Amino acid sequence: MTEISMAQALNAALRDAVKDDDRVLIFGEDVGPLGGVFRVTDGITADFGEERCFDTPLAESGIVGFAVGMAMGGFRPVVEMQFDAFAYPAFEQITSHVAKLRNRTRGALSLPMVIRIPYAGGIGGVEHHCDSSEAYYTHTPGLRVVTPGTPQDAYDLLRDSIDSPDPVIFLEPKCRYWSKETVSFTRDGAAMDRAVVRRAGKDVTLIAYGPMVATALETAEAAKAEGWDVEVVDLRSLSPFDDETVTASVRRTGRAVVVHEAAGFGGYGAEVVARVTEQCFHQLHAPVLRVTGLDIPYPPPKLERHQLPDVDRILDTVARLQWNDEPAVAGA
């Protein structure tokens, strides 16, 4: 066990996967000698050779299309899209082919591939370099979509994603690349399709994922001053969704707030709210609320702080929950 950053944990996961399985190939823009924009693939080409980790032309649709062919041929490609909004030129390949090939061939062919996408904000990126595109992928049947909120999960989820027989969209929160914790490489954590309770509480459940997990935990600590005991659930897997863990938490607390950076309208949180409301209606003391990014194109760096949910916005939303537990009287 050693204390490393999320970027280093991802690098370790890639290295171990390449070492353990000759079918694993890493490729994308600048992932070779440079080691990627965020140095996630740093040193892998030098240590394992250009046959295992190599650069491609700047053509995202070509990168994913090439990966489809490689996966059909028995390899396990791991590709990088460099930045979230750079992945959109490959969107047709992802939704029309990556997501549908198993169904189209009635299970005769599978695509065991991982598409790594650094996503979301918090780094002061300019246009096309910060976006929260998770809803596009989770809305597409045939894709697994996961996102780590901690360095330990970065290692575990990436190893599990590479081993998965299904195509995986692996969303890496850019602003957490440099966060550190002690990481074990034993792979004995939760399964990749399970949510986890990061902090136990009894008054309200904060449901978060990716970059907002740390913010939710910070909010839970700040909430003590207000007298609220906050539970934090890290979704980890956005698709498939772990109804069991999430609804068990909400049934215990009776209240829930969903937090994400993406815009609110049509955002991923709306699906979470619907599922929780349908399954926990009789245990809820208040409507399930959301704290999200604004319904605007992603703002320039100097305005980014107004877009991102923070502790104050989340606490303000928690305060809006109905804290009088007495049932409403009809006609009162």
Side-chain angles (χ1 to χ4, degrees):
M1 299 180 69
T2 182
E3 184 177 81
I4 58 176
S5 68
M6 180 179 286
Q8 291 171 321
L10 293 167
N11 182 276
L14 292 170
R15 286 175 172 273
D16 289 347
V18 169
K19 181 175 60 178
D20 292 347
D21 190 339
D22 291 340
R23 299 172 297 172
V24 176
L25 303 176
I26 302 168
F27 52 93
E29 299 167 8
D30 295 325
V31 303
L34 179 65
V37 173
F38 299 100
R39 301 301 185 265
V40 171
T41 56
D42 188 40
I44 296 179
T45 297
D47 292 343
F48 293 95
E50 293 184 349
E51 296 81 10
R52 305 298 300 280
C53 180
F54 53 89
D55 291 334
T56 66
L58 276 66
E60 287 78 11
S61 62
I63 294 170
V64 174
F66 180 54
V68 169
M70 297 294 283
M72 290 173 66
F75 291 93
R76 289 182 173 266
V78 182
V79 303
E80 180 182 300
M81 291 287 98
Q82 200 169 76
F83 286 96
D84 32 38
F86 289 9
Y88 296 144
F91 196 66
E92 192 276 332
Q93 289 281 354
I94 295 170
T95 57
S96 296
H97 304 291
V98 174
K100 294 182 171 64
L101 189 66
R102 181 190 290 274
N103 182 266
R104 183 184 301 146
T105 62
R106 299 185 180 182
L109 288 174
S110 62
L111 292 180
M113 57 185 288
V114 179
I115 301 174
R116 294 180 41 244
I117 304 177
Y119 88 115
I123 65 166
V126 296
E127 188 177 15
H128 304 311
H129 288 71
C130 287
D131 206 355
S132 295
S133 48
E134 59 267 32
Y136 300 138
Y137 302 112
T138 58
H139 186 68
T140 305
L143 300 175
R144 286 182 177 268
V145 184
V146 300
T147 179
T150 68
Q152 180 67 65
D153 257 2
Y155 180 85
D156 291 340
L157 283 174
L158 187 52
R159 291 300 308 273
D160 289 346
S161 296
I162 295 171
D163 288 345
S164 173
D166 303 311
V168 180
I169 304 296
F170 194 91
L171 300 173
E172 301 172 6
K174 295 193 289 286
C175 67
R176 304 302 177 193
Y177 272 139
W178 303 277
S179 62
K180 291 186 175 183
E181 72 171 352
T182 301
V183 174
S184 167
F185 304 113
T186 57
R187 300 185 65 187
D188 55 1
M192 69 179 292
D193 58 353
R194 301 292 288 184
V196 297
V197 176
R198 295 289 178 198
R199 183 187 188 278
K202 62 181 178 62
D203 294 329
V204 57
T205 299
L206 290 186
I207 303 169
Y209 56 87
M212 285 290 106
V213 172
T215 306
L217 290 169
E218 185 181 354
T219 302
E221 288 300 310
K224 293 178 182 178
E226 306 295 333
W228 297 317
D229 187 11
V230 176
E231 182 152 301
V232 176
V233 174
D234 177 359
L235 292 181
R236 302 173 74 248
S237 173
L238 305 186
S239 180
F241 186 84
D242 181 5
D243 289 285
E244 182 181 358
T245 301
V246 175
T247 57
S249 174
V250 176
R251 289 187 181 111
R252 284 194 301 270
T253 65
R255 297 176 176 85
V257 175
V258 183
V259 185
H260 62 65
E261 282 190 23
F265 188 85
Y268 182 79
E271 175 66 23
V272 180
V273 171
R275 299 178 83 94
V276 170
T277 301
E278 290 169 2
Q279 297 175 68
C280 303
F281 181 77
H282 294 290
Q283 290 81 34
L284 288 172
H285 302 310
V288 182
L289 301 180
R290 291 177 291 165
V291 183
T292 72
L294 306 178
D295 293 332
I296 59 172
Y298 207 90
K302 290 185 178 180
L303 299 177
E304 188 181 42
R305 69 185 186 279
H306 301 296
Q307 163 82 359
L308 304 179
D310 59 16
V311 171
D312 288 339
R313 283 180 59 192
I314 299 172
L315 287 176
D316 287 345
T317 302
V318 171
R320 288 170 46 212
L321 297 168
Q322 297 171 10
W323 289 99
N324 181 358
D325 288 339
E326 296 181 3
V329 178

